[in-house]
Amino acid sequence: MTQDEGTQLAELFRLLGEPNRLRLVVACLDGPRSVGELTEQVGISQSLVSQHLRLLRAGRLLKQTRSGRNVFYALPDCHVRTMLTNMMDHVLEPEDHGHED
């Protein structure tokens, strides 16, 4: 991994290190969500949701699509989904779980 690649990867983890941003991305695991749905699900103001979504789009952790006047946010590809679901499984796994070699 080059230094630039390491910096980019660290930036993605920094973006996901903020709990509300992480919850926004996780909320999109089951499919596209509108800003209103995300605001309700995460429980923060719409302006704060919009700020977080801007950063997540810039980091390519979410993508935006329009349908008429509505804007929906979704995961951009299977890589983000796989990384998140693997990390969620890791967190939910019992600590005394046997080590895999």
Side-chain angles (χ1 to χ4, degrees):
M1 175 181 292
T2 68
Q3 185 172 355
D4 285 345
E5 291 166 340
T7 300
Q8 286 179 333
L9 186 58
E11 176 62 16
L12 292 180
F13 282 110
R14 186 190 68 77
L15 284 170
L16 290 173
E18 201 287 323
N20 289 320
R21 285 195 291 261
L22 178 61
R23 291 173 59 215
L24 287 167
V25 176
V26 169
C28 295
L29 280 173
D30 293 328
R33 298 285 183 260
S34 69
V35 174
E37 290 172 316
L38 290 169
T39 298
E40 186 176 310
Q41 190 166 353
V42 176
I44 58 177
S45 71
Q46 185 171 338
S47 63
L48 193 52
V49 166
S50 294
Q51 289 174 18
H52 287 311
L53 291 172
R54 180 181 52 80
L55 294 171
L56 292 167
R57 276 193 341 264
R60 299 181 343 175
L61 291 167
L62 288 178
K63 67 178 181 178
Q64 161 185 321
T65 56
R66 287 193 179 276
S67 178
R69 293 176 45 186
N70 296 316
V71 178
F72 293 91
Y73 291 86
L75 300 180
D77 55 45
C78 65
H79 301 113
V80 174
R81 173 181 303 286
T82 300
M83 182 266 310
L84 272 178
T85 55
N86 283 342
M87 293 308 291
M88 289 167 62
D89 289 345
H90 176 71
V91 167
L92 297 173
E93 159 180 278
E95 275 195 49
D96 62 347
H97 188 269
H99 296 284
E100 296 178 18
D101 292 336

